[in-house]
Amino acid sequence: MVVVMNPGYSQTEKELWKVHLNQWSCNDLCPLEDADARNSLNQGPGAIQTGSDRQRTIFNRAVEACTLEWIDPHLQAILNNDYYCNHESSERLGKFNTEGYPLWNEHFPTACARVDALRSHGYTNEALRLAVAIIRHLRKVQKDYLKQLKQAGSRKSKHRKSVQQHQSTSSALNELSNGLFGPTSSTSTQGDGPEAWVGHPLNPIGCLIHTLLEASTVPEEDPKPQSSKGSSKTSSSSASHHTSSSHHHHHHHHQQNSSSSSSSSSNSSSNSAPLSSPPRYRHVPVRGHRDSGDSYLMLAYEAVLIGLGQQRNMPVGFYAQDKACRAEEELIKKHRDIPLDERLVVVLQKQVKTLMEGGPLSGLGLSIPPESVPLHTFGRYLFQALLPHNEAMAYEVGLRALRLPILEDSPSSSGPDSSALTGSVNAVLMGRYPHWFVIGHIESQQCQLASCMMSAAKDNMKRLRSVLEAAQRHIHSASQLFKLAQEAYKVATPVDGVTHYTLLKATFELGLHIMGMTHVKLTWGRSDMVRWMVQCATEIGVSALITIMQSWYTLFSPTEATSVVASTVMAPSTAVRLNLNYRQQEELSRCARSVALQCAAKDPPACALSALTLCEKDPVAFKAAYQIVVDASAGAMNSQQLFTVARYMEHRGYPSHAYDLAVLAMRNLSLGYNQDAHPAINDVFWACALSHSLGKAQLSNMIPLVVKSVKCASVLADVLHRCTLTAPGIGCQPDVKLRCLKLLPYDKDPMRQLLDAAIGAYVNTAHSRLTHISPRHYGDFIEFLGKARETFLLAPDGHLRFAKLTDDLKIMYRGKKKLMHLVRERFG
């Protein structure tokens, strides 16, 4: 775009450029100005588009720039005279400030594009003069806007104003804001908000600072004389400003045909410096305005502050949002290259104060629209820059910048649980505001700002408290809060330094807030949060551990409280880490056992085993935990869970308790005739073996439960075989050699009952398998009958009962001749 804005072009040359640009713009392959635009009107290759239907292309701004002129007398006076001023009553005309220095009032990006065009075509001095006039105009508008804003506020505080008075005040403010921003561009995607300067296609702030910083750069040791070109260009411009400089400005892309930003021409000068040594700057007084005390470096520094502090709405589309974020970071990086001295610190403090009082036009104002772009990155830079010079202002601006308006429907929203927040989030989801594709990046920058402030206030309780409350109020992402807490914890507990207990306690409080946020709603990384919370509490000491255990129900789930919190508290390493005495260990252990019992009562299936483990050394607590399991067997705990606890009890040396739980588990078990691979089979074998080892009485009580719960023939046969290998009670009798223990007979209870159940299960299973048997399974069935005969023969009349079974099969399934032939061949 800077090509067509050459002040030396004649009208004919610009018309020729306009024709070429229009031709390129009409090409179907020409890129659009808005990379996120989607033309829904074009329904196919045969669709016809009118002029109003076409999307703007990258050449449209250059086409519009062909109509801009340079013949304005005030503009020509600014460009060609360092001493152009007017100390008379011309301020009311808007062309001079109170000191009489000239101002240039135009649509801000367009005015900055004029500067870029002058600089790109060699008119360096003219570009400097215009840049100074533009920035002074920004100052004046800021000053006038603040004055009107304060007057409106004071009138409102004294008495109520009528509707007409309120409208007059609003119109006055709007008029001032129009002076600052100029008419909204036809391509603006900001809705009713102001046109954003950061991320703008014309890069207006970048144009200004590159021009001003060039004039402030310290020359190299042997710089080549460059005044000849500048002076010749100045004289050339002065000689021809009434004739051939009749054209304007705006913005072109490069000299290639893809115009969208003037940053390429602006970056060419900055890239000329070696990357290893950034340029050094000095204060060069503004020519012709020595009494003002301004330097080009001060104006450049202030211009970036004004641009970055502008209140702007989030643009629509991923590309535009990503571009705005990158442009902000690039401007801040350029700003960091300017070393702060006393003069720049004064500019910084003055401009920050103006931004804080700037009302709706400032992104740091007290009240801004919800769709405003948050200034977390800019706020962090301001905080770091101000902290060594004005601590109070640094924290004030940092806390103000920590806001995330899109998630805070009104200033009265004081917490993440407020209904106003819910309404704002719903408004985003329902499409009231555009989708924020960069919300993840924004929340990350918000977390970095909070972390920076917490680290700086690590030993100041008052400052730390204000930052902590603001973080809890404005940061709505649990993962970002957890990241903030982790970073603060690292600062508070350095590896080779002294622990900062003030920051550590604040981090602990933040951790409690995070646990409360994620307690009900499951959050990714919750297990890491719980472990970190216990680690942080351990670092503080016994009081913090007792705090999280006493309020566990608001912070942790029962499983987390027992498996992580209570287990860690009672671990020997914790006592060693905290160097606890016996009384403190007992206090922590008592509290941990109390938590374990409460969790077991609330969620027996998940916490009963952990509670028994933690309460093992305390007989009273252990008995209470055992009773909770017994009570839960009626419904809360299934047979598998009861068998698990019962096995644990046996392992820890409580066989009688294990037997009681095994009885309860067996009552809840149900094993069908065809479930010969069920996972509970091993539990059945274990329960019978335990009962057998305890004695005949226990086995006699267990066998009826097994018969009732298990219908699988093979399982019953295996239990029968295992119980008759040795005499019952042999595992628990110390004087076994002195007693005569006999094997259990099959013809008497309890083995007769088990044998009859096994034979009946074989009969039922045989008939069930023959109902839907295929020839390929005949061999398996014959093997099944072979195992069944072994069990039948254990009974006194077993051979007769098995013969009856085979005869019944031959009669009932005589149609399966091949199978019956195999039965006769094998069993007669």
Side-chain angles (χ1 to χ4, degrees):
M1 179 172 171
V2 294
V3 174
V4 299
M5 295 178 62
N6 188 344
Y9 273 170
S10 65
Q11 186 65 29
T12 303
E13 291 173 309
K14 290 203 278 188
E15 288 295 334
L16 182 61
W17 268 112
K18 187 174 182 179
V19 171
H20 290 315
L21 292 171
N22 280 323
Q23 291 176 349
W24 297 334
S25 183
C26 292
N27 192 313
D28 293 337
L29 300 179
C30 182
L32 299 180
E33 183 180 62
D34 182 6
D36 296 299
R38 298 292 182 269
N39 191 354
S40 59
L41 297 176
N42 189 359
Q43 301 297 330
I48 300 177
Q49 291 181 341
T50 63
S52 59
D53 293 338
R54 294 192 183 98
Q55 297 282 357
R56 288 174 60 90
T57 69
I58 58 175
F59 297 112
N60 280 106
R61 290 185 182 269
V63 170
E64 294 166 356
C66 292
T67 62
L68 297 176
E69 300 290 346
W70 295 83
I71 58 176
D72 183 90
H74 183 61
L75 175 61
Q76 287 296 325
I78 293 174
L79 296 179
N80 295 284
N81 191 348
D82 285 329
Y83 300 95
Y84 177 51
C85 60
N86 191 335
H87 296 285
E88 298 180 359
S89 59
S90 54
E91 182 192 354
R92 54 188 175 85
L93 301 177
K95 296 183 178 181
F96 299 89
N97 60 12
T98 54
E99 290 80 16
Y101 297 123
L103 311 173
W104 181 243
N105 181 10
E106 189 179 17
H107 177 237
F108 181 70
T110 303
C112 295
R114 289 184 185 272
V115 175
D116 195 26
L118 289 168
R119 176 172 165 268
S120 300
H121 291 286
Y123 300 93
T124 307
N125 293 333
E126 289 82 350
L128 273 175
R129 295 169 187 145
L130 184 57
V132 171
I134 292 172
I135 295 176
R136 283 180 171 160
H137 173 66
L138 293 181
R139 284 180 176 175
K140 180 179 182 300
V141 173
Q142 268 191 332
K143 180 179 178 181
D144 294 344
Y145 185 82
L146 277 179
K147 183 178 178 181
Q148 292 284 350
L149 200 62
K150 290 179 180 179
Q151 290 178 355
S154 62
R155 287 196 299 266
K156 185 176 179 180
S157 62
K158 290 180 180 179
H159 53 83
R160 294 182 179 179
K161 301 299 291 179
S162 64
V163 177
Q164 293 181 351
Q165 289 173 321
H166 176 72
Q167 291 177 348
S168 63
T169 302
S170 300
S171 63
L173 294 178
N174 290 335
E175 183 179 353
L176 286 172
S177 66
N178 289 334
L180 180 60
F181 298 104
T184 304
S185 171
S186 60
T187 62
S188 174
T189 59
Q190 308 298 320
D192 296 332
E195 186 177 20
W197 301 337
V198 177
H200 194 280
L202 300 183
N203 189 21
I205 303 297
C207 296
L208 287 181
I209 64 170
H210 283 300
T211 302
L212 295 168
L213 289 180
E214 266 190 354
S216 306
T217 304
V218 177
E220 298 178 0
E221 295 181 358
D222 291 322
K224 296 180 181 180
Q226 300 178 3
S227 58
S228 59
K229 181 179 179 180
S231 59
S232 64
K233 287 292 182 181
T234 303
S235 60
S236 172
S237 172
S238 301
S240 62
H241 72 88
H242 285 298
T243 57
S244 64
S245 66
S246 60
H247 277 341
H248 151 280
H249 132 233
H250 199 64
H251 145 196
H252 170 228
H253 175 42
H254 316 292
Q255 280 182 312
Q256 299 176 353
N257 298 336
S258 81
S259 104
S260 142
S261 105
S262 60
S263 59
S264 60
S265 60
S266 300
N267 290 335
S268 61
S269 61
S270 62
N271 292 336
S272 62
L275 296 177
S276 58
S277 57
R280 295 182 296 126
Y281 301 111
R282 62 180 178 179
H283 287 281
V284 178
V286 177
R287 288 193 294 267
H289 305 145
R290 293 184 179 274
D291 295 339
S292 65
D294 289 332
S295 68
Y296 295 120
L297 188 61
M298 294 168 64
L299 293 176
Y301 195 84
E302 188 172 11
V304 179
L305 294 176
I306 295 175
L308 291 172
Q310 177 206 19
Q311 185 275 321
R312 51 193 183 274
N313 293 347
M314 180 63 71
V316 179
F318 170 76
Y319 175 81
Q321 294 178 12
D322 181 68
K323 180 181 178 182
C325 293
R326 293 178 183 273
E328 181 184 29
E329 293 172 357
E330 290 174 3
L331 284 174
I332 292 175
K333 182 180 179 181
K334 189 70 177 177
H335 214 230
R336 288 184 187 275
D337 292 339
I338 304 176
L340 273 177
D341 56 18
E342 293 182 0
R343 299 174 69 181
L344 293 182
V345 169
V346 173
V347 174
L348 175 63
Q349 294 183 3
K350 181 180 178 181
Q351 189 55 232
V352 167
K353 183 179 179 181
T354 302
L355 291 175
M356 295 286 286
E357 299 174 353
L361 288 187
S362 170
L364 295 174
L366 186 60
S367 178
I368 55 177
E371 62 271 25
S372 298
V373 176
L375 301 185
H376 304 138
T377 308
F378 182 47
R380 178 159 58 97
Y381 165 71
L382 292 178
F383 175 81
Q384 294 172 337
L386 283 169
L387 189 61
H389 309 285
N390 191 333
E391 182 179 351
M393 180 177 286
Y395 280 98
E396 185 181 1
V397 72
L399 294 175
R400 183 73 63 83
L402 196 61
R403 299 172 299 181
L404 186 52
I406 192 65
L407 298 182
E408 300 164 13
D409 197 46
S410 66
S412 61
S413 299
S414 58
D417 300 327
S418 64
S419 59
L421 170 61
T422 304
S424 181
V425 174
N426 290 337
V428 177
L429 296 178
M430 294 301 293
R432 175 182 168 189
Y433 305 125
H435 181 69
W436 284 36
F437 297 95
V438 293
I439 187 65
H441 171 77
I442 289 174
E443 289 183 327
S444 176
Q445 293 297 317
Q446 184 186 33
C447 174
Q448 291 183 31
L449 170 59
S451 176
C452 181
M453 290 193 290
M454 287 189 70
S455 300
K458 56 181 176 291
D459 295 319
N460 189 325
M461 189 60 196
K462 183 178 179 181
R463 299 283 189 202
L464 202 54
R465 171 60 56 184
S466 62
V467 176
L468 183 62
E469 292 176 354
Q472 294 176 357
R473 182 168 61 253
H474 297 304
I475 300 179
H476 305 287
S477 169
S479 59
Q480 291 297 334
L481 277 174
F482 180 51
K483 182 179 177 182
L484 171 62
Q486 287 180 306
E487 293 177 356
Y489 179 80
K490 291 179 181 178
V491 175
T493 57
V495 178
D496 300 325
V498 180
T499 300
H500 302 278
Y501 283 98
T502 303
L503 179 58
L504 186 60
K505 292 178 180 179
T507 305
F508 175 73
E509 186 175 341
L510 182 59
L512 295 178
H513 177 73
I514 297 170
M515 290 296 102
M517 283 180 65
T518 58
H519 177 50
V520 178
K521 183 179 180 181
L522 294 179
T523 304
W524 181 85
R526 166 75 181 181
S527 57
D528 294 334
M529 296 177 184
V530 174
R531 285 191 293 268
W532 175 87
M533 185 75 252
V534 178
Q535 179 185 2
C536 183
T538 304
E539 190 70 27
I540 294 176
V542 176
S543 60
L545 289 173
I546 292 178
T547 297
I548 63 174
M549 286 191 291
Q550 288 179 343
S551 56
W552 71 268
Y553 46 87
T554 62
L555 305 175
F556 311 104
S557 67
T559 305
E560 294 168 345
T562 52
S563 62
V564 180
V565 181
S567 299
T568 304
V569 169
M570 295 190 66
S573 58
T574 302
V576 175
R577 171 72 180 83
L578 297 177
N579 193 21
L580 302 178
N581 55 37
Y582 178 78
R583 183 185 62 81
Q584 291 173 323
Q585 292 184 40
E586 283 300 311
E587 183 181 8
L588 283 179
S589 298
R590 184 168 56 254
C591 191
R593 287 192 289 267
S594 175
V595 170
L597 292 176
Q598 294 175 40
C599 294
K602 186 173 183 180
D603 189 2
C607 304
L609 188 58
S610 298
L612 287 168
T613 305
L614 294 171
C615 298
E616 185 176 358
K617 294 183 179 180
D618 188 327
V620 176
F622 186 80
K623 184 177 180 180
Y626 172 75
Q627 188 60 42
I628 290 174
V629 178
V630 173
D631 295 340
S633 63
M637 298 183 69
N638 57 36
S639 59
Q640 182 180 2
Q641 294 163 345
L642 289 170
F643 274 126
T644 302
V645 177
R647 285 176 179 268
Y648 166 80
M649 297 295 285
E650 185 201 24
H651 176 71
R652 303 306 297 177
Y654 300 97
S656 60
H657 291 75
Y659 170 77
D660 293 339
L661 291 178
V663 170
L664 296 174
M666 194 64 69
R667 289 175 178 171
N668 295 338
L669 180 65
S670 177
L671 203 62
Y673 73 92
N674 59 346
Q675 293 181 299
D676 52 358
H678 196 279
I681 292 176
N682 288 329
D683 293 325
V684 174
F685 292 157
W686 170 84
C688 293
L690 175 64
S691 304
H692 185 274
S693 66
L694 292 176
K696 183 178 179 180
Q698 288 80 359
L699 184 61
S700 299
N701 291 332
M702 183 64 70
I703 292 301
L705 297 176
V706 174
V707 171
K708 182 179 180 180
S709 301
V710 179
K711 304 301 179 185
C712 183
S714 60
V715 175
L716 292 172
D718 283 345
V719 171
L720 180 66
H721 176 69
R722 291 167 186 258
C723 290
T724 54
L725 290 177
T726 59
I730 195 171
C732 61
Q733 296 295 338
D735 56 345
V736 64
K737 294 182 180 181
L738 303 178
R739 300 181 58 187
C740 183
L741 297 178
K742 298 181 180 181
L743 298 178
L744 294 175
Y746 292 111
D747 57 344
K748 294 182 180 180
D749 288 334
M751 290 297 100
R752 183 177 61 181
Q753 184 181 5
L754 183 59
L755 178 59
D756 291 342
I759 291 174
Y762 271 118
V763 173
N764 293 333
T765 304
H767 287 287
S768 176
R769 293 182 66 171
L770 285 175
T771 304
H772 302 288
I773 194 171
S774 62
R776 62 178 180 174
H777 293 141
Y778 286 172
D780 295 337
F781 183 74
I782 297 300
E783 293 298 326
F784 168 76
L785 286 181
K787 293 180 180 179
R789 183 171 63 174
E790 295 176 0
T791 302
F792 273 76
L793 294 178
L794 295 177
D797 57 345
H799 61 289
L800 298 177
R801 298 169 70 175
F802 184 74
K804 184 178 185 305
L805 171 63
T806 55
D807 291 342
D808 291 343
L809 295 179
K810 294 173 187 177
I811 295 173
M812 296 177 65
Y813 304 101
R814 57 181 177 270
K816 302 181 185 296
K817 297 180 179 180
K818 183 177 180 180
L819 177 60
M820 293 303 105
H821 173 73
L822 293 175
V823 171
R824 293 189 188 96
E825 184 179 352
R826 177 76 178 268
F827 304 107

